[in-house]
Amino acid sequence: MKRVLFIIFLLFVVPSGLLSAQEQPAANLTGRQIEALPILINARADLELLADTYFQQSGARPEGWITTLDVNDPQLPVFLRLNLEILAGTIFGADERPEGWFGAIFSTPLAIARDLRHDLELVADRVAGAATIRPAGWQGGDPLMRSDALDLLDL
């Protein structure tokens, strides 16, 4: 619950360059946001695939799940993180996360996308049962996205 509240708090402190879709149309994405977009698009597809796999019996997403995720919306990283936190909370427990979890960060768009991908892979490890198994159709990402040693300052 603390994590979800922290993420909701981030909605109000993240710079308008990432969040303000109404004030800043997608055509005005910064170069850094555009650089992070392929990672976010693949993460979005994989997050939905993972949720489909995990919730296949119930067929429904948990309360709070954001279903309209426009890849041109500057808020996409925040919405993806919220959905990932909801999924992780359902799988691991409200206040439990796997070892190595980064969580929400305040950084550059590329670092935010990288941390989202990293944490998504940790959730996929649990759902699939191993780090080398993924659902059919998994987009994946650069293997460096899984690295805990990557210097985020270089992003």
Side-chain angles (χ1 to χ4, degrees):
M1 185 64 171
K2 292 177 188 175
R3 291 177 199 278
V4 173
L5 291 175
F6 176 71
I7 292 168
I8 291 170
F9 173 74
L10 284 179
L11 287 171
F12 298 102
V13 297
V14 173
S16 63
L18 284 177
L19 289 180
S20 182
Q22 293 174 349
E23 295 173 10
Q24 187 176 44
N28 292 333
L29 291 175
T30 67
R32 286 185 164 198
Q33 289 170 315
I34 292 169
E35 183 182 23
L37 202 53
I39 298 168
L40 294 172
I41 291 170
N42 285 345
R44 175 186 179 231
D46 289 345
L47 179 59
E48 289 298 320
L49 182 61
L50 198 59
D52 287 344
T53 301
Y54 189 77
F55 298 115
Q56 67 184 347
Q57 292 178 350
S58 68
R61 302 292 198 270
E63 186 176 333
W65 191 272
I66 301 166
T67 56
T68 55
L69 296 174
D70 180 1
V71 297
N72 295 311
D73 188 342
Q75 296 183 57
L76 180 63
V78 175
F79 295 150
L80 290 174
R81 174 54 72 176
L82 287 170
N83 282 355
L84 181 58
E85 290 290 342
I86 290 169
L87 181 60
T90 303
I91 293 170
F92 298 105
D95 292 324
E96 298 293 324
R97 295 296 180 267
E99 185 176 332
W101 185 264
F102 287 161
I105 62 161
F106 181 75
S107 188
T108 66
L110 191 56
I112 291 169
R114 183 269 174 183
D115 289 353
L116 182 86
R117 179 88 233 174
H118 173 271
D119 291 349
L120 177 60
E121 294 291 343
L122 292 177
V123 174
D125 291 350
R126 171 65 74 87
V127 172
T132 57
I133 300 171
R134 293 294 180 262
W138 188 259
Q139 302 292 314
D142 187 320
L144 286 176
M145 298 291 173
R146 284 192 67 98
S147 173
D148 291 335
L150 184 63
D151 183 2
L152 296 179
L153 296 176
D154 289 338
L155 295 178

